[in-house]
Amino acid sequence: MRADYDAPWKSALSRYFPEFLAFYFPAVHAGIDWSCAPVFREQELAQVSHHAKAGKRILDKLAEVRRDDGGTAYLHIEVQARRDPDLPLRAFNYHYRIFDLYQRPVATLLVLADDSPHWRPAAYSYRLFGAETQVRYLLVKLHDFANQMPQLLSNDNLFGILTAAHLLTMATKGQALHRLSQKVRLSEQLYAKGWEAGRAGDVLGILDWLMVLPPLLERTFQQHILDMERRNAMAYPFVNLFERSGWRRGRVEGREEGREEGREEGREDGQRALLAAQIARRFGTMPAELDQRLAKAASAELSVWAMHLLEAKSIDEVFRPG
């Protein structure tokens, strides 16, 4: 269940850069002339960072933007995965190297995505013989959003859901069933927004990247999405995002291609075994008649029961219809 934090942030920040700034750094967003498209300077950033000490960051990005007063500025953005004592100095090195390269103002924007609530490296400075050098950073701590889950989920900016997904991924480490429940919750919130298919597919892909599940529970989640799409076919402008967006074709259909038909039966046996073990852990030994129902159930029914198990208060609630 190792989460992939890197790919979701790269995808979201590159494709939805204005929304990224509007959500995390609204004052920066307000100071940019958006009639002039930002230019990402990835090649130049690679040159600038060649001699910089690498830290445990998710990604960093360099954007050239036009300010609302007509001037050019550079935004160095770093998303940091874990607490790293080298971050303040590394960000300072980037800052002066970028300034030296372009001779234009530079702002360093840090998004701290770690789980340490008190680590907030907002500046780097030193003094020598009465002279002082200091660079202050604009700082956002994802941990600060932990108690704002309803606001995150209701926000129409997709970085609300991304922030919620990141926090819930960290909170459910090693808790597969709880992660499945939260992933279902986020996907339902996404559907309720009624976004167009491309945007919704991008966000669903981000959720899938972040909230990695064991294979059997991933199939349960996939079945839940397909069932939800069938139930709401008339309510949403996009039906079956698994087919309309490429991220799941590459990850699921590509893996399935060429496998023999007998593998389906093997997967169902695995689903039965996992569900039986989870029920036994929650409610004790199953009655014989329910054990027989479990043995005869097909994949779709097993997926429904797995979803019921997340909130069931008795064994009968697990096997209820629908």
Side-chain angles (χ1 to χ4, degrees):
M1 286 175 56
R2 184 182 298 276
D4 178 2
Y5 292 107
D6 189 60
W9 281 99
K10 285 181 178 176
S11 174
L13 201 155
S14 298
R15 299 190 64 177
Y16 299 96
F17 184 61
E19 287 192 68
F20 168 84
L21 291 180
F23 189 83
Y24 294 121
F25 303 98
V28 177
H29 181 276
I32 293 175
D33 176 4
W34 291 103
S35 66
C36 182
V39 178
F40 292 109
R41 300 294 187 184
E42 305 306 305
Q43 186 173 0
E44 291 89 337
L45 182 59
Q47 295 172 359
V48 165
S49 62
H50 180 67
H51 299 292
K53 185 177 179 180
K56 299 172 183 177
R57 57 188 180 277
I58 295 177
L59 69 92
D60 52 356
K61 213 163 190 65
L62 179 62
E64 179 184 307
V65 298
R66 179 187 290 173
R67 305 197 307 262
D68 56 8
D69 62 6
T72 299
Y74 291 87
L75 304 179
H76 172 229
I77 302 147
E78 187 160 326
V79 183
Q80 178 70 32
R82 291 179 246 171
R83 183 168 179 164
D84 180 3
D86 295 326
L87 175 62
L89 176 57
R90 186 178 68 247
F92 174 76
N93 287 335
Y94 277 100
H95 188 100
Y96 79 73
R97 288 173 186 270
I98 294 168
F99 179 83
D100 184 55
L101 179 64
Y102 293 108
Q103 297 293 300
R104 291 287 188 277
V106 181
T108 299
L109 283 55
L110 302 180
V111 177
L112 303 183
D114 62 286
D115 58 0
S116 178
H118 304 298
W119 182 60
R120 299 170 187 268
Y124 179 81
S125 64
Y126 65 87
R127 292 183 178 184
L128 182 62
F129 302 137
E132 181 175 4
T133 298
Q134 182 182 69
V135 174
R136 298 196 62 83
Y137 313 127
L138 298 177
L139 191 69
V140 167
K141 187 82 173 181
L142 295 193
H143 190 276
D144 293 343
F145 293 92
N147 295 323
Q148 303 176 36
M149 201 60 63
Q151 295 91 324
L152 291 175
L153 297 180
S154 63
N155 197 307
D156 202 46
N157 189 310
L158 64 82
F159 282 92
I161 281 190
L162 175 56
T163 302
H166 189 101
L167 292 170
L168 291 171
T169 299
M170 291 194 296
T172 57
K173 184 178 180 180
Q175 303 175 54
L177 280 175
H178 187 38
R179 179 173 292 182
L180 172 62
S181 174
Q182 295 303 322
K183 193 171 181 179
V184 166
R185 175 191 180 192
L186 292 179
S187 67
E188 290 176 343
Q189 288 286 335
L190 169 62
Y191 269 66
K193 292 181 181 298
W195 287 342
E196 53 87 20
R199 181 181 175 87
D202 286 343
V203 178
L204 192 57
I206 289 169
L207 298 186
D208 193 62
W209 259 325
L210 276 172
M211 307 189 80
V212 179
L213 294 168
L216 291 176
L217 294 186
E218 179 59 32
R219 286 178 58 79
T220 300
F221 172 73
Q222 180 178 352
Q223 186 62 50
H224 172 80
I225 291 292
L226 296 175
D227 291 343
M228 186 167 58
E229 287 178 340
R230 282 194 289 268
R231 290 195 306 268
N232 298 284
M234 301 301 295
Y236 299 96
F238 49 96
V239 179
N240 195 356
L241 284 176
F242 291 123
E243 299 298 329
R244 297 189 62 174
S245 60
W247 57 270
R248 187 162 291 275
R249 279 202 301 274
R251 295 190 61 184
V252 177
E253 295 176 27
R255 289 198 300 263
E256 298 295 325
E257 186 176 358
R259 292 185 180 180
E260 65 275 14
E261 293 181 3
R263 294 294 293 274
E264 180 62 31
E265 183 177 351
R267 283 192 293 267
E268 288 183 356
D269 288 342
Q271 281 182 284
R272 294 188 189 98
L274 178 62
L275 188 57
Q278 292 166 341
I279 291 172
R281 185 173 182 178
R282 288 277 305 276
F283 303 112
T285 304
M286 262 194 307
E289 63 271 18
L290 294 182
D291 193 46
Q292 292 174 4
R293 284 183 65 188
L294 187 64
K296 296 177 181 178
S299 180
E301 194 168 24
L302 292 169
S303 296
V304 170
W305 292 341
M307 293 303 303
H308 289 172
L309 180 62
L310 295 174
E311 299 180 354
K313 294 182 175 60
S314 69
I315 195 169
D316 291 333
E317 290 185 14
V318 176
F319 291 93
R320 72 180 188 273

